[in-house]
Amino acid sequence: MDLIVPEWEVPPGVGAVSTTRAGGVSKGVHASLNLGSHVGDEPAAVEENRRRLRNAAALPGEPVWLAQVHGTEVVDAVPGVAPPRADAAVSARPGVVCAVLSADCLPVLLASRQGDEVAAAHAGWRGLAAGILEATLAAMKTPPGELAAWLGPAISRAAFEVGDEVREAFRAGNPEDAAFFSANDRGRWQADLAGLARRRLESAGVTVYGGGSCTFTDPARFFSYRRDGETGRMASLVWIRG
């Protein structure tokens, strides 16, 4: 299994990993480590993929999966319940695994410098513009200046073409966001999803790492909804070791 271990300055008591598409049993457009149960894959394959992930990453338990809706709802991660409709989860309890799924949208992992609080957020353009990262920071007890963030694999600026409505959604919230859109020769815009997230986090005082892997341009390693349409989902997870 090809797992990405974040390179960020957090205590060893914080565990974190991001998956690629390799190492599972799913077939066809979902091949092979699809972890999303909502994308048309065989349920038994998803269950086996999640079992393999737990073993390969030495997770302390089943991740707290979310029913992601591109919104700004943040929940306390509670194991063993039906997936809540939310796009971020926070936990200060050892052994609870916060997780988000993605296939172009930006996964953001957060951890306190003391290693006593973690969070995972799903930041597509709608969630970013609406304030999912600000909502996640507000839900955490740790001050932003004592947090580290890691930006996982997502679609890059060069591959992410959007219309005027997307750019205006960001500019309406903060005119500085216009700097993260560049005009292309088709009269549209190339949007820097990771840059937009980084600005928000750094403006709040968070130290930011990661953000260099493009899902769209690496089909051998990553799922990409923008590239393929029907496809699988990768997971980014963070937890406090027990």
Side-chain angles (χ1 to χ4, degrees), residues 5-228:
V5 178
E7 295 183 2
W8 57 342
E9 295 184 10
V10 296
V14 173
V17 70
S18 190
T19 68
T20 63
R21 66 183 304 165
V25 300
S26 295
K27 305 296 184 183
V29 295
H30 303 110
S32 65
L33 190 68
N34 167 50
L35 298 163
S37 61
H38 64 294
V39 295
D41 195 5
E42 292 292 333
V46 177
E47 183 178 350
E48 173 62 15
N49 290 341
R50 290 181 173 184
R51 186 194 67 79
R52 291 187 177 199
L53 171 61
R54 291 195 302 271
N55 290 341
L59 300 181
E62 180 69 18
V64 177
W65 304 106
L66 305 175
Q68 298 166 194
V69 294
H70 297 274
T72 60
E73 188 70 22
V74 184
V75 296
D76 288 327
V78 179
V81 300
R85 288 172 60 87
D87 283 87
V90 176
S91 181
R93 291 189 292 163
V96 175
V97 183
C98 298
V100 290
L101 297 170
S102 63
D104 279 337
C105 291
L106 180 70
V108 179
L109 303 182
L110 294 141
S112 69
R113 296 291 187 182
Q114 294 73 35
D116 57 0
E117 189 176 29
V118 296
H122 164 246
W125 78 259
R126 290 179 180 84
L128 265 181
I132 182 59
L133 294 184
E134 291 86 345
T136 304
L137 295 179
M140 300 183 76
K141 297 177 182 179
T142 306
E146 297 176 19
L147 290 171
W150 182 77
L151 310 183
I155 193 167
S156 67
R157 184 176 192 153
F160 192 28
E161 180 180 294
V162 300
D164 289 336
E165 74 284 359
V166 176
R167 183 171 181 263
E168 290 307 312
F170 282 95
R171 289 186 65 216
N174 192 319
E176 293 181 15
D177 282 350
F180 298 94
F181 294 82
S182 53
N184 62 31
D185 58 7
R186 292 174 295 281
R188 290 165 64 82
W189 303 93
Q190 302 298 135
D192 184 358
L193 202 60
L196 288 160
R198 185 179 295 272
R199 187 196 70 73
R200 281 160 169 69
L201 292 165
E202 290 182 342
S203 294
V206 180
T207 303
V208 183
Y209 303 85
S213 297
C214 177
T215 49
F216 185 94
T217 57
D218 194 348
R221 198 177 194 205
F222 300 118
F223 295 117
S224 169
Y225 181 82
R226 176 65 69 101
R227 182 188 65 230
D228 300 326

